[in-house]
Amino acid sequence: MRTLIKNGTVLSTTGAVTADVLVDGETIAAVTAPGVLAEQNVVADTEFDAAGKYVMPGGIDAHTHMEMPFGGTFSADTFETGTRAAAWGGTTTIIDFAVQPKGNSLLSTLDAWHEKADGDCAVDYGFHMIVSDVNDATLKEMESCVAAGVSSFKMFMAYPGVFYSTDGEILRAMTKAADIGGTIAMHAENGIAIDELVAQALAEGRSEPYQHGVTRPPELEGEATSRAITLAKVTGSPLYIVHLSAAQALSAVAEARDEGQNVFAETCPQYLYLSIEDLGKPDFEGAKYVASPPLREKHHQPDLWRGLRTNDLSVVSTDHCPFCFKDQKELGRGDFTKIPNGMPGVEHRIDLLHQGVVAGEISLARWVEACSTTPARMFGLYPRKGVIAPGADADLVIYDPAAEQTISAETHHMNVDYSAYEGMTITGRCETVLSRGSVVVDRGTYHGRAGHGRFLERDLCQYLN
């Protein structure tokens, strides 16, 4: 099957050009000046006229949690529902986290996540490995994970008793990562200090959702980020800071990058648009916005946008980890520590970041970089993913930059009963989405299917010095 997308404004990290894109089977066959393919009598089975629209590489969300266990429940999106929602929003690849329970091996964990995802995904997918039990066997298995196409390993400086690793354990894992070429992805918050602040709040009767933000102050994210950077410098390990939310953490990342250290960071749309004020909404509504790190005061947002412009923040991911307000978030009524941590977002990442283009915060090129090209390079998928070029997978989005839409739980496709952006009117919409040449969404109709998505064996990070 051949598909021709003609007359569109094709976007890349170097700018925009009017071009035609020819898809043959699952890959891109040609990118030419408008009309050249017609002059060559190239015939396509399907044509899309993208005049007045952007044509961009499919989005890569490098941070999702489908069917993730947390606090006695599971995130509400399955791999089927979550990847379907991703496709609606122009994301054609996700990288999810396989969660190693303490006492289990990495490879048995990887097998369990393959079993969850295999045959259920509407778009392509890969895995990161969460390392929560550092020992000799785990360190040896990191080599096997890299060989199996899982080249990044997430660790936690937060959640003592659950995922938390000591500095010594982090040092051991970083040393191994440096040896095998893997990347350590770090949840950087000082969990020991946070637990003490939480205990103080509960002892004083402060139990509402707003206290989740108060007890996880930005200074403790900044401190942990600095500590992680120091450990990475000692070991020579690459470091990727996940879901960075605070100016203090960004400052530490920027300083390390200025010194030439292999330190990278992502932020998420919720930190660009929402704030700690949302945690304070009455009638327990603030529970909808409980995630870690927490939403910050609004004055952090200009710093994050600047970080995106300067590439101190390299990627925008979602940390998509949805829990329904009813029956799940409500588990924390009377005790904010029992509110499942996480927010939905996989469907709206590309649209929300496009608002940064509309507002003049970032360029079209940075939009494409942060949503697609940089995560492809960061996590060993480029040039198969993240670029519109001959030979690349035909993951393509026809984007209408003039369309208006209002975000609402009534119209989104994520398996969760609320939207963190309810009522927000935005400009731009994914009109047509192709995954490896197959149309999965077209002008308000879903054409995808569970099982279309394939597991991606990833190479090493392509940014390493």
Side-chain angles (χ1 to χ4, degrees):
M1 291 287 292
R2 281 182 165 183
T3 300
L4 176 63
I5 302 174
K6 60 184 183 180
N7 304 320
T9 301
V10 175
L11 303 182
S12 71
T13 59
T14 57
V17 61
T18 302
D20 293 345
V21 181
L22 180 65
V23 173
D24 193 348
E26 294 194 343
T27 60
I28 296 169
V31 183
T32 72
V36 170
L37 295 171
E39 292 172 3
Q40 296 174 349
N41 297 315
V42 172
V43 177
D45 301 282
T46 305
E47 290 191 5
F48 294 96
D49 189 345
K53 313 288 173 60
Y54 299 142
V55 182
M56 63 186 295
I60 299 171
D61 191 341
H63 191 149
T64 69
H65 297 284
M66 309 301 178
E67 303 180 38
M68 192 194 86
F70 191 100
T73 187
F74 290 83
S75 57
D77 264 317
T78 65
F79 278 93
E80 180 178 359
T81 65
T83 56
R84 183 170 65 232
W88 274 101
T91 289
T92 53
T93 299
I94 66 164
I95 309 179
D96 205 78
F97 286 86
V99 184
Q100 179 200 26
K102 287 191 182 293
N104 287 39
S105 73
L106 294 185
L107 292 180
S108 66
T109 299
L110 183 57
D111 287 342
W113 253 255
H114 274 301
E115 187 174 344
K116 289 184 180 189
D118 185 35
D120 282 341
C121 292
V123 299
D124 291 349
Y125 62 97
F127 294 128
H128 308 282
M129 179 61 66
I130 287 179
V131 177
S132 63
D133 195 356
V134 178
N135 53 53
D136 290 344
T138 291
L139 296 173
K140 181 66 176 175
E141 281 189 312
M142 287 173 67
E143 300 175 24
S144 300
C145 287
V146 170
V150 178
S151 55
S152 42
F153 304 89
K154 184 180 180 183
M155 303 189 77
F156 289 80
M157 304 171 98
Y159 304 125
V162 184
F163 296 134
Y164 173 80
S165 292
T166 66
D167 286 0
E169 290 168 336
I170 292 169
L171 191 80
R172 292 186 70 193
M174 283 183 168
T175 301
K176 187 66 175 183
D179 181 53
I180 63 178
T183 297
I184 296 294
M186 187 65 70
H187 180 134
E189 289 184 288
N190 187 325
I192 301 298
I194 287 168
D195 273 12
E196 178 57 33
L197 292 176
V198 167
Q200 292 175 12
L202 293 177
E204 295 168 7
R206 296 183 280 119
S207 61
E208 67 278 10
Y210 186 78
Q211 296 302 317
H212 176 78
V214 173
T215 57
R216 305 181 86 96
E219 291 80 5
L220 294 184
E221 183 182 350
E223 182 277 331
T225 301
S226 296
R227 186 157 36 98
I229 289 169
T230 299
L231 294 172
K233 188 172 186 177
V234 168
T235 60
S237 171
L239 177 65
Y240 181 85
I241 301 295
V242 296
H243 48 46
L244 188 148
S245 71
Q248 291 90 333
L250 179 58
S251 177
V253 168
E255 181 179 356
R257 288 175 62 79
D258 288 346
E259 293 177 355
Q261 192 174 344
N262 284 319
V263 174
F264 313 93
E266 69 179 19
T267 192
C268 307
Q270 54 266 35
Y271 303 121
L272 296 170
Y273 290 103
L274 306 176
S275 76
I276 195 170
E277 293 176 8
D278 293 292
L279 281 169
K281 288 185 176 180
D283 301 323
F284 199 64
E285 288 286 312
K288 296 176 178 178
Y289 303 91
V290 167
S292 295
L295 301 178
R296 302 300 185 187
E297 293 182 354
K298 289 180 179 179
H299 68 77
H300 290 268
Q301 294 173 1
D303 292 306
L304 298 182
W305 282 113
R306 185 174 65 253
L308 284 173
R309 288 194 296 275
T310 62
N311 198 35
D312 287 323
L313 290 171
S314 302
V315 172
V316 175
S317 302
T318 60
D319 192 13
H320 176 76
C321 192
F323 295 96
C324 288
F325 181 66
K326 183 175 175 56
D327 297 330
Q328 289 189 303
K329 291 287 189 179
E330 288 183 333
L331 292 170
R333 282 191 182 273
D335 182 350
F336 69 90
T337 67
K338 292 182 170 56
I339 301 170
N341 281 211
M343 294 169 59
V346 73
E347 186 170 349
H348 301 306
R349 178 180 65 113
I350 288 175
D351 288 335
L352 288 168
L353 202 58
H354 181 252
Q355 304 318 294
V357 177
V358 173
E361 295 282 3
I362 57 172
S363 66
L364 284 172
R366 281 298 291 156
W367 181 44
V368 171
E369 279 184 325
C371 286
S372 184
T373 308
T374 298
R377 288 174 168 152
M378 189 73 66
F379 296 110
L381 292 171
Y382 187 89
R384 180 179 176 184
K385 305 289 188 184
V387 64
I388 299 177
D393 283 357
D395 295 348
L396 298 162
V397 177
I398 301 174
Y399 195 87
D400 183 351
E404 289 194 352
Q405 58 173 311
T406 300
I407 300 176
S408 175
E410 293 182 1
T411 52
H412 74 204
H413 302 87
M414 298 174 289
N415 189 36
V416 63
D417 62 1
Y418 75 94
S419 172
Y421 307 95
E422 185 69 40
M424 181 177 177
T425 299
I426 58 176
T427 303
R429 181 194 296 272
C430 298
E431 182 174 282
T432 305
V433 181
L434 281 71
S435 169
R436 297 196 332 272
S438 294
V439 175
V440 289
V441 174
D442 184 35
R443 288 165 287 196
T445 301
Y446 181 72
H447 299 279
R449 62 175 179 84
H452 166 78
R454 294 177 184 166
F455 172 68
L456 302 169
E457 292 188 7
R458 299 185 290 108
D459 295 327
L460 304 181
C461 176
Q462 295 162 309
Y463 284 113
L464 301 185
N465 295 333

